[in-house]
């Protein structure tokens, strides 16, 4: 990696964006953010902030395009399984887990649909944005079922008979409630984490990395 500035990828839009940015500002990064800019130069350190889709952050760090990324474990684990299965390198280090971005990936049924443990999941059609994590859960529990991958608005699927049930993120539970669904099984719990590339960096950036890591280490959120 022959660059003069470190790159940190954070979510452009969504639940982790504000907390991720606030964290970096508290660490002393001096940066002007303009609404549609996808890359911002930090003024007092050799760091660039990249504003990207959260799904792209793990791959950017694993490929060494970015040095650090702040991402939810849900997205990270999903991408890690996908990349391993498809023969891509998926090495990275988790530097720190934060208190923000807590949520869980859960299976939820229409309220009137009977649920009696994992056995009643067999043969159903599941809509999800996390096909790899759901497949791992099925392997571990010896369940054969159909997975339909959708990238958003998963909770609509049972109502329009696109699927029998869903596997999606739950944070406050409001989306499930509003769509007449009940949570029946949690697959993973998740929170925001800082990940780091394992690729070598130029010696000139070592001080900056040390400064950043020690500041983030001192953060309690
Ligand atoms: C996420 C997730 C759920 C919802 C859960 O959706 O996919 O739909 O948040 O949050 P809650 O339990 O607090 O209601 P997001 O807003 O990211 O939209 P999308 O899934 O349609 O992309
Ligand atoms: Zn997303």
């Amino acid at each position: 990696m022959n660059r003069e500035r470190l790159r940190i990828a954070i979510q452009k839009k969504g639940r982790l964006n504000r907390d991720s940015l606030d964290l970096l500002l508290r660490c002393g990064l001096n940066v002007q953010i303009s609404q549609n800019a996808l890359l911002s130069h930090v003024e007092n350190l050799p760091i660039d902030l990249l504003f990207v889709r959260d799904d792209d952050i793990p791959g950017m760090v694993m490929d060494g395009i970015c040095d650090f990324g702040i991402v939810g474990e849900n997205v990270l684990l999903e991408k890690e399984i996908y990349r391993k299965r498809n023969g891509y390198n998926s090495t990275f280090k988790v530097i720190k887990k934060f208190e923000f971005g807590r949520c869980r990936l859960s299976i939820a049924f229409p309220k009137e649909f009977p649920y009696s443990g994992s056995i009643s999941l067999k043969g159903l059609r599941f809509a999800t944005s996390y096909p790899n994590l759901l497949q791992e859960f099925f392997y571990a529990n010896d369940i054969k079922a159909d997975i339909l991958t959708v990238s958003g608005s998963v909770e609509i699927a049972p109502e329009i008979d696109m699927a029998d049930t869903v596997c999606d993120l739950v944070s406050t539970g409001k989306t499930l409630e509003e769509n007449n669904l009940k949570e029946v099984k949690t697959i993973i719990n998740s929170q925001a984490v800082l990940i780091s590339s394992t690729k070598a960096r130029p010696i000139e950036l070592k001080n900056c990395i040390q400064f950043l890591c020690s500041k983030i280490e001192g953060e309690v959120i």
Side-chain angles (χ1 to χ4, degrees):
M1 208 184 291
N2 196 14
R3 279 190 275 105
E4 287 171 3
R5 298 175 72 81
L6 281 181
R7 290 179 183 163
I8 307 176
I10 68 171
Q11 191 187 33
K12 174 175 157 48
K13 220 167 43 179
R15 62 188 70 232
L16 298 187
N17 165 269
R18 194 66 244 175
D19 285 327
S20 304
L21 195 53
D22 285 349
L23 169 87
L24 295 173
L25 297 179
R26 283 201 307 280
C27 288
L29 275 62
N30 188 353
V31 59
Q32 302 294 330
I33 311 291
S34 56
Q35 214 185 351
N36 292 311
L38 301 178
L39 189 149
S40 298
H41 295 291
V42 174
E43 286 158 21
N44 56 336
L45 289 163
I47 298 176
D48 290 338
L49 295 189
L50 278 64
F51 298 89
V52 297
R53 285 277 310 265
D54 60 350
D55 319 52
D56 293 329
I57 294 174
M60 289 175 128
V61 172
M62 291 168 191
D63 290 337
I65 306 293
C66 287
D67 304 282
F68 295 96
I70 298 177
V71 67
E73 289 175 303
N74 51 314
V75 169
L76 178 61
L77 291 169
E78 174 68 18
K79 201 54 104 176
E80 200 185 355
I81 301 169
Y82 169 83
R83 287 177 63 108
K84 274 198 183 132
R85 283 200 183 139
N86 290 281
Y88 298 106
N89 154 57
S90 58
T91 53
F92 63 96
K93 280 188 291 189
V94 175
I95 305 287
K96 183 155 171 106
K97 294 191 175 203
F98 302 113
E99 283 306 317
F100 64 87
R102 282 193 185 273
C103 60
R104 52 199 186 272
L105 181 66
S106 291
I107 292 171
F109 274 23
K111 280 186 180 161
E112 64 284 356
F113 207 96
Y115 175 73
S116 50
S118 292
I119 190 89
S120 58
L121 302 178
K122 290 189 181 173
L124 296 181
R125 297 168 302 155
F126 286 76
T128 190
S129 311
Y130 296 85
N132 292 289
L133 279 166
L134 184 58
Q135 189 63 65
E136 290 279 292
F137 171 79
F138 288 161
Y139 286 147
N141 292 279
D142 195 25
I143 292 166
K144 280 202 174 62
D146 290 334
I147 298 178
L148 176 78
T149 306
V150 283
S151 39
S153 303
V154 176
E155 293 87 348
I156 203 176
E159 181 69 30
I160 60 172
D161 197 29
M162 196 183 189
D164 301 306
T165 177
V166 304
C167 176
D168 199 19
L169 292 187
V170 185
S171 174
T172 61
K174 275 192 198 138
T175 308
L176 291 186
E177 189 57 42
E178 279 167 20
N179 289 283
N180 207 29
L181 298 167
K182 61 172 186 275
E183 192 175 358
V184 297
K185 178 84 190 161
T186 296
I187 292 186
I188 59 152
N189 286 296
S190 176
Q191 62 201 95
V193 293
L194 174 72
I195 55 172
S196 161
S197 160
T198 53
K199 294 214 171 154
R201 281 95 168 201
I203 192 87
E204 297 78 28
L205 292 174
K206 286 271 155 67
N207 283 346
C208 181
I209 293 172
Q210 264 177 6
F211 172 82
L212 183 71
C213 288
S214 70
K215 283 285 186 185
I216 288 181
E217 198 44 55
E219 278 290 321
V220 285
I221 80 155

